[in-house]
Every structure is written in C-alpha cells, then in structure tokens.
Amino acid sequence: MGGPPAQTARRRRTALPWTLLALWIAVLALAGPFAGKLGDVQHDRAVDYLPSGADSTQVAEVRARLPGGETTELVLVYHRDGGLSAADRQAAERQVAAVENELELVATPEGVPSKDGDTLMYPVASTAPGQDEKARDAFVNDVRDLAHDTGTDAGAGMSVDVGGPGALATDAAEVYGALDGPLLYTTVAVVALLLILIYRSPFLWLVPLAVAAVADFLSMGVAYGLNQTFGTTVSGQSSGVMTILVFGAGTDYALLIVARYREELRRIERPHDAMRAALRGCGPAVLASSGTVAAGLLCLLAADLNSSRGMGPLGAVGVLCALVAMLTLLPAVLVLLGRRVFWPLVPAFGSRPKARRSLFAAMGSSAGRRPLAVLGAGAVLLGALALGAFALPGTLKQQDSFTSAPDSVTAMKTLAAAYPEKGTQPITVIAPTGRADDAVGTARSTDGVADVRRGRSGGGWTEISVVAEGAPQSAAETATIEALRDGLDGRGAYVGGPSAEQLDLKDTNARDRLVVVPIVLAAVLLILVALLRSLVAPLLLLVAVVAVWGASLGIAGLVFGPVFGFDGTDPGLGLLSFVFLVALGVDYGIFLMHRMREEVLGGADTGTAALTALRTTGAVIASAGLVLAATFAVLTNMPLVQLVELGFVIAVGVLLDTFLVRTYLVTSASLALGRKVWWPGPLSRAPETPAPPAAEPALARTP
C-alpha cells in the first residue's frame, strides 16, 4: 500500500497546488500591463453613454468635424446678494478680458445681467480643447484660475463660479477619476471586517480577501482587452460595479467553499483530499449560480444605451474572474497552508463541532407551522413596500448628480435662481448647409425659443445655436427640444446639446427596459428549468426576486427625497437594479432549491427537504448575503447620486432576499405546494414518503 504508486499519487497531490499557484503568477504577469490601462479608456460624458443613432450623438460627432472641432461651453457667473456694485462689474470685466486674452475663444463674451441686478453671466466658448478630455479639463481649470484672480480687491465678497456643460463634464470626470482608490479601499475594508467576524480567525480572512484582490486585478486586464478588441464601453460606473462584483460575489463563493472545506477536514485527514471532496460537493452549485449571474448580466448586451451595454460584459467578467480564482487559487492556497489557517478554531480530523441550535432551523419551524399565512403576510408586506416606488423623485438632472456641489453645480443653481425666465444653456442644431436657412427659420418660429444664432459651417454642415426660454432640463425646455425635433423632422437636421443628451438618455433607458427585462426573465427561467428539472420552482424563484426588486424600489422611494435629499432618480436605476437583483437573487435561490432537490432525491418528503435545506444552507448563505449587501452599500458612500442610488437599492434588495424572501417566503411556498413545486418533472409524480427529520448538524452544510 505504501509503494511507488502511492508515493507518486502523494507527489501529484503536493505538486498540484504549487502548479496552480505558478499558473496564477504567470496569468497576473500577462494581465499586469493591461490592467493599469483600464482608466485610460474610461469615458463618462453623457454622449459616450448614448447609442450612435441618437440625435445628440450625431450632433456631437458632426460638431467634432467642424472647423475648430468640438466646442467647450462655459458660463462665468458673478453674484452678490443685495446687488452687484460698479466695482464688482469692473472686476468681472477684467477677469473676462483676461480669459479672452489668454485663451482661445469662439467669440467675445458679452455680459447678461439678471433682472434683480444680483447676478451677471458671461457665456464663454472655445474649440481649442477639441475632443481631448484632458485638454478640455485643462481649459476649464485655466478659466477658473483666471476668473478667481481679480488682481485687486475690487471684487472681494463677490462669488465667482464657472458653470456650463464643459464645467459639469470636467467635475464629473474628476469625481469618476477619483473613485477607483476610495471604492477599492472601502470595499476591501468592509469585506475584511465581515470576514473577521464570520471566521473569528486572525489569519483565515486574509486568504479569500487576497484571492479576491487577485481576481479584481485580472478582471481589469480582461476588461481592457474587451475594450480594445470589441470596443466595449468602459465607464466609471461599470468599472466600479465590476470591482464590487469581484469582491462581493467572490467572497460569497469563498464562504461556501471554505465552509464545506472546514466540514470535510473533520472527516478526511489530508487537506488535499478534503478540498477535493469540498469542491465536488459545492462546486456544481457555485458554477451554476455564477453562470446564472453572468448570463443575466450579459442580457444587457441587448440594451441600446452604451453604458448599460458595457455594464453587462464588465459585470460578467468580474463574476467569472472571481469564480475562476475561488475555484483554483483559493483551494490551492488553503491546501498549502493546511489546517493551521483556521487557528484558533482548527477543525481536527475526527472531531465534532460544538452542538448549537440553528437560528434558521427556528425560522423554518415558524414558517412550517402556518406556511400559507406566512406566505400571504410576506406577499402583502412586499406589495405594500413596492407602492413606495410611486414616491421616487423625477428624472435626475445633470447638476443634481453630485452628493456635494462642486463649482459647476453652484454656478448652475445660481443661474437657475437668477434667470428663471431665460435659458442659460444652448441647444445645438446641426443642419445640412443647403438647408441651414430653412432650419434657422423653423427654429425661430418654434414655441419656447428665445434666440437663434447661426454658427460655424464646414463639411456640408452648419451649426445653429438655439436658446430656449425655459431653464435647462426644465419641462419647458424639454418641450422646446421636442418641438424643434418635430419641426425639423425629415430635413436632415439633428438637435443636440447637454439637455438633449439627458432627454435621449431617459428615452433610451425607457426603450431598454422594455427590451432587456423580458430577455433577462426568459434567460434566467430557462437556466433554472434546466438546473432544477422543474417549471414551478423556477417560476417561484423568479416571482420572488421580482417582488424583491419592486419592494427595494419602494423603500428607495420612501428615503431618496425625504432622507437623502435627492432631487431626482437616475433614469438607468430601474433597469440596472432589476438585472442585478434578479441575477443575484436567483443566485441564492439556486443554493436553497439545489439542496432541497438533493434532499428529495435522497428520500425525504418535500416539507422535510425544505426545512433541511434552510437549516443547512441558512448560516453560510446569510453570511454571503451580508457580504454582498455590504459591498454594494459601499457605493452609497460615493460622491455621485446615481452610484448611491444603485448601491442602496441593490443592498436593500439583497438583504430582503436573504432574510425575508428566501428564509420565509420561498420555504413557505415550497411547504404549501409540496411535490407540486417540482412539476412537471419526475419528482412531482413520486409519492410523498415522510422521513424522520435528520439530526441537526452543528455546522451548516452547503449545497
């Protein structure tokens, strides 16, 4: 028994973890040069998010080809409560003259005073930055430096802010560019804290955290490769969510694998053999759940909005990189470290864990006594919470997208208050040069238009600047934009500009919801049917996660305005939160139903199987749910409203799914349906054969 074959097998077992470790070092060496370049291909302008066929996208592309290239538009805003003095106006004139003398402007800025005399604005435009975002940011910052340098004390006490589309874009880019560090550090800190509390070990928590960091680095390199090969859109939002998914989903998989590995170490002497048994036991469920999440996210490829379409592949990359790392690198490191990594709670071979009553066994028992009552009460509660979605604030305006107001937002709010009767942000019309006069006439005759000016021409196109009577992104200005598009329809002209871009974002998101939501539901349903060999169980899980999504949006509606003080809701919140909550919620449902089906195949009746599945998977999956919710909650600490909203809704949804829907409602529905939950599969036709409940294990066994 101890001859050469046994020695060879032992050598192979010893060599495998080192081989995997070496392979990962090689992979990281290859991915390293690309991972660092991901930030270079990240774009966060509104027009970068839009589909190529949108009117505002066409306007941006044509303007970039006109003489001088794309125009950067700013507004210098001077304000003093109680009225600007003569010295204030002179100081403003000196500053604007300095801007004109030192920077290349399209035209001489002319001051426009407000009716109350408190505010004076100077529209400033330049084509010098062109399409280079770094050059645009440098131009904006140069204007700000000059605007804040009066040279004398004549303007002391007068506020000077730089707003307009260019300044808003620069401030947004600065925020997105600064997200990576704080997002990563905060996520790592949150996951580390939770792992320390869960594992109660000074060393064990470092292993899954380090493996997740490796997976995140790999995902950045793969995401850059997707951008270079397929042109996948990379935004600050999508790259941030990818990091969240790597750490959240990756830690979830690690929790399941480590829990099963700890259990196997008690009955198998060699760590390598124990890990092999652990992966054989929980690996299929981990593969199935991660595959479902990735498939759900890839459904976003059907979206028309570039940012949403890019979010799908990047999210899937994050999940799959985390999966590969947790199924290969994590087991290798754990095997090499041996049992001592669990210190001080080392699972000795042949030992039994301390017996303790399971919280989830108690929850299952309470659901089992009156399953229909529990199911009905839960459904009413979720339905009542979902009604709060009607209280969600309206569409988020560009200037309201920051949690703390930068210079550009302060300027835009000052303008909105000082010029309520006047548009302060131009609408851009691009018309064929041969029809430019006709387009100018149509624009001047359009209701809600205050001023029309003919601009640059070149390449067969002419730029026309239109100023609306309504304030930027107000209902009045939106009506003017729509009227302009209706009037110019069929004449080869396009209507764009910052407000038109926001309108196109809203319309495209509405279109994407109608297209992507059914695709996600159909794809996830087909996967669940194939996994569970049933139709009723998959429908039950889908209904549950859709109810969670509705309730999460309802809770958001109750707190976004009154508690957070948000003035609007990101147009993409509904679609993105739906995709994530359906994919991630079904992910946890798979663990529960997979274990339930395993118990039924082992001879248990459906009721016993449901309670056993809840008892044995509850603790580990609850820990996984807490980690995932906490990682998405990290987004609520970011300085952009759309990230805060997305993180809040997903975190709340994961918690609802973990502690209410999966624990009580899915279990109660399974108890109420009995064998019908497996219809029309063969398990639904087998007679119930009640079996005595198994002794409750002290340690939860994962599926």
Side-chain angles (χ1 to χ4, degrees), residues 302-373:
D304 206 17
L305 200 66
N306 285 338
S307 56
S308 297
R309 191 165 62 247
M311 179 83 74
L314 261 65
V317 162
V319 170
L320 295 178
C321 285
L323 171 71
V324 173
M326 295 305 169
L327 287 181
T328 57
L329 182 58
L330 176 69
V333 174
L334 288 174
V335 169
L336 289 173
L337 292 174
R339 282 184 164 83
R340 58 185 176 273
V341 74
F342 289 94
W343 187 87
L345 304 176
V346 179
F349 173 59
S351 66
R352 295 182 62 85
K354 184 185 298 184
R356 61 182 184 274
R357 178 157 177 78
S358 167
L359 170 65
F360 290 92
M363 290 181 173
S365 299
S366 65
R369 284 192 290 270
R370 301 184 65 184
L372 289 178

Side-chain angles (χ1 to χ4, degrees), residues 373-423:
V374 171
L375 185 62
V380 169
L381 175 61
L382 290 176
L385 289 174
L387 294 176
F390 292 104
L392 283 168
T395 303
L396 185 68
K397 296 181 180 179
Q398 192 176 12
Q399 61 263 32
D400 295 327
S401 60
F402 302 89
T403 56
S404 58
D407 190 32
S408 58
V409 171
T410 302
M412 301 307 287
K413 290 184 176 180
T414 300
L415 289 174
Y419 304 89
E421 78 294 341
K422 182 179 180 61

Side-chain angles (χ1 to χ4, degrees), residues 533-534 600 606 674-687:
R533 310 292 196 275
S534 165
V600 172
T606 304
R675 289 277 180 174
K676 294 177 183 177
V677 77
W678 307 113
W679 185 89
L683 287 180
S684 66
R685 297 187 292 274

Side-chain angles (χ1 to χ4, degrees), residues 121 419 421-425 450 467-472 477:
M121 73 169 178
Y419 304 89
E421 78 294 341
K422 182 179 180 61
T424 56
Q425 189 167 272
V467 178
E469 294 176 352
E477 190 200 38

